[in-house]
Amino acid sequence: ATRMGTTQVGAHQVGLSVWLLLALVSEAPSIASQVLSARYLGKGLTKAARSIAYLTIGISATGGAVLGSALFIFRDVIPSLFTSDKALANQIKQLIPILALQQPLVACTLVAEGLL
């Protein structure tokens, strides 16, 4: 971080904030899948638990793709929510496509992590 300027560090902080917000939204199905899977596993219904796991991972992948697409579509608007500085806004715009592409994988990972 010592070689980066304040603009790059500021863009990193904004990117981290956006990433954490989307991660929290993406993690919501994980809680429901944990409860349902535990209930089915407790009853010895492993096929039902597996079915819930696949379903919630699929829903999360779709949700992550939707969130990532929205992030990419609104990439010109999002920086203005955080700053009026043109240089910082340009750095944030460069970071948003990376964040958008990560969202489906992040969403699936968070649900799978909750199920394991």
Side-chain angles (χ1 to χ4, degrees), residues 39-65:
R39 177 186 296 168
Y40 289 135
L41 288 173
K43 291 180 180 179
L45 303 171
T46 56
K47 285 186 181 182
R50 190 174 296 126
S51 169
I52 288 293
Y54 291 144
L55 178 65
T56 53
I57 289 173
I59 289 170
S60 292
T62 304

Side-chain angles (χ1 to χ4, degrees), residues 11-73:
H12 180 269
Q13 285 302 119
V14 170
L16 179 62
S17 296
V18 170
W19 189 92
L20 287 172
L21 173 68
L22 295 178
L24 289 172
V25 170
S26 298
E27 194 172 19
S30 174
I31 298 164
S33 65
Q34 288 173 31
V35 171
L36 292 172
S37 295
R39 177 186 296 168
Y40 289 135
L41 288 173
K43 291 180 180 179
L45 303 171
T46 56
K47 285 186 181 182
R50 190 174 296 126
S51 169
I52 288 293
Y54 291 144
L55 178 65
T56 53
I57 289 173
I59 289 170
S60 292
T62 304
V66 168
L67 288 173
S69 298
L71 191 62
F72 190 77
I73 290 168

Side-chain angles (χ1 to χ4, degrees), residues 84-103:
S84 59
D85 181 29
K86 298 281 187 200
L88 180 55
N90 286 333
Q91 289 290 318
I92 295 168
K93 283 181 191 177
Q94 291 177 10
L95 188 58
I96 287 177
I98 297 167
L99 297 174
L101 287 172
Q102 290 178 354
Q103 290 314 304

